[in-house]
Amino acid sequence: MEQNVITEVVNTIVAALQKPVEVISDMDDHDIKRVALPPGWILQERDDIKLKAIPQRKTGQVILNDAESFIDYINRHKLDNSTTLYCQTNYEKGDVNFIVVFNDHIGMATGQQWRDHLASFEPGKSIEWERWAKNDREVMTQREFALFIEDNLRDIATVEGMPTGQQLLEMALSFEANQDMRFKSAIRLQNGGVQMSFVQDDDSATLAKMQLFDKISIGIPVFWNGDAYRIDARLRYRARDSKLVFWYELIRPDKVIEDATKVLINTIKEKTEVFFYFGDPSL
């Protein structure tokens, strides 16, 4: 009889040891459990939150493609005293990036948050800006320069003291007409322009003249679907083997990007009314 009792006790102990040991963490609703399983008795974590119909809180990261969508998304999910907008810029490189942290830390001793619900927005440059920036300081032949001016004539702004689009078109057409002629000389005029002389290679008595402007003014949007901004450019030329090459130099494009970015920042701040900082949230 005693042997049977001892055997039963031993079997009970062995059976108990073969069962998993469950440790419930100190969390709301006991959603996360830690379980030790034989034979190695390694502690494993079981997240039952994922089995719920909805998560306990919002998490994730969304990438928005335009300012309007970014603003609407912020207003849809923002939290009082918590949602924070950050902006990182490098105007010289043309980089602008926004990150909003919806559950950011609150400015109080017990205001810590998880900072894991995010949205980002990197304003894309307009096609016009990309085109003019790409060809900035790129040397072109007479024909290449003429075609570039013709293709982008609508970007030329009408500014007092600067050539109009029609004047630039006439200049471009003159370039095409004179591309097979030999460059002879250039005279700077009182209005800041340059008058160039060309001669036929086989007839030095034939002389053609045209005027080159030393500056132009461009009116183009910096960001896609944004407002247009004025940016001036210097026109440059150089004679190579009696042939001319041309290029233009955008004047301080970084300042134009900075102005456009400040307008965008003010628009986002006014329409969302969230905390704003220049910097990196360092998530």
Side-chain angles (χ1 to χ4, degrees):
M1 182 67 178
E2 293 180 359
Q3 182 63 39
N4 292 337
V5 172
I6 294 173
T7 302
E8 184 177 347
V9 171
V10 170
N11 290 337
T12 300
I13 294 173
V14 171
L17 291 175
Q18 290 177 343
K19 292 181 179 180
V21 176
E22 181 176 279
V23 180
I24 300 176
S25 62
D26 186 17
M27 297 183 67
D28 294 341
D29 298 330
H30 306 300
D31 291 314
I32 295 182
K33 302 178 179 66
R34 291 175 176 85
V35 182
L37 300 174
W41 296 93
I42 298 174
L43 196 64
Q44 299 181 12
E45 185 175 282
R46 302 295 176 89
D47 185 359
D48 291 341
I49 295 177
K50 299 176 181 178
L51 302 178
K52 286 191 167 187
I54 58 173
Q56 278 188 316
R57 57 188 178 83
K58 297 178 182 179
T59 62
Q61 182 171 2
V62 174
I63 300 175
L64 286 309
N65 294 328
D66 62 22
E68 184 177 354
S69 297
F70 188 57
I71 291 169
D72 289 345
Y73 194 81
I74 292 175
N75 286 331
R76 183 181 179 186
H77 295 282
K78 67 182 180 181
L79 303 172
D80 291 341
N81 299 320
S82 176
T83 299
T84 308
L85 176 63
Y86 298 87
C87 182
Q88 296 175 272
T89 61
N90 186 324
Y91 298 128
E92 187 175 358
K93 293 183 178 180
D95 297 335
V96 179
N97 187 47
F98 294 91
I99 296 178
V100 60
V101 183
F102 292 102
N103 54 344
D104 204 356
H105 295 319
I106 302 174
M108 53 190 296
T110 58
Q112 61 270 27
Q113 300 291 329
W114 285 103
R115 308 184 81 219
D116 55 1
H117 185 202
L118 317 170
S120 62
F121 167 51
E122 182 177 351
K125 301 297 192 304
S126 70
I127 295 176
E128 296 87 349
W129 183 273
E130 293 282 13
R131 187 180 296 131
W132 283 94
K134 177 183 176 181
N135 290 281
D136 185 21
R137 291 170 170 77
E138 290 292 324
V139 176
M140 309 179 204
T141 65
Q142 281 181 244
R143 177 172 176 77
E144 290 170 342
F145 189 71
L147 290 175
F148 181 82
I149 294 297
E150 287 185 82
D151 290 342
N152 300 282
L153 195 63
R154 295 178 59 182
D155 299 338
I156 305 303
T158 301
V159 177
E160 185 177 357
M162 297 283 194
T164 64
Q166 182 60 37
Q167 289 173 318
L168 282 175
L169 178 59
E170 292 174 358
M171 181 187 74
L173 294 175
S174 296
F175 284 167
E176 289 190 277
N178 288 281
Q179 62 178 311
D180 294 327
M181 301 181 73
R182 181 166 53 86
F183 173 70
K184 182 179 181 181
S185 63
I187 302 174
R188 181 162 294 277
L189 306 176
Q190 290 183 348
N191 62 4
V194 177
Q195 188 177 70
M196 298 181 174
S197 300
F198 295 83
V199 296
Q200 293 284 0
D201 289 337
D202 57 354
D203 184 5
S204 59
T206 301
L207 186 67
K209 292 183 179 180
M210 66 178 179
Q211 183 170 325
L212 171 70
F213 303 97
D214 65 341
K215 273 187 182 181
I216 60 174
S217 188
I218 306 163
I220 56 176
V222 176
F223 300 123
W224 178 75
N225 205 26
D227 296 330
Y229 286 82
R230 173 184 169 181
I231 179 170
D232 295 337
R234 291 181 288 265
L235 292 183
R236 296 289 190 247
Y237 72 93
R238 182 183 299 138
R240 290 181 179 175
D241 300 325
S242 297
K243 294 291 183 179
L244 288 178
V245 292
F246 296 87
W247 68 94
Y248 62 86
E249 300 172 352
L250 297 178
I251 301 174
R252 294 303 303 271
D254 58 309
K255 300 303 292 182
V256 181
I257 295 176
E258 182 179 357
D259 289 343
T261 301
K262 287 180 178 179
V263 171
L264 183 58
I265 289 173
N266 288 334
T267 299
I268 297 174
K269 288 171 59 178
E270 290 173 3
K271 292 187 176 182
T272 62
E273 297 182 338
V274 297
F275 296 105
F276 172 81
Y277 300 97
F278 278 107
D280 182 356
S282 297
L283 300 169

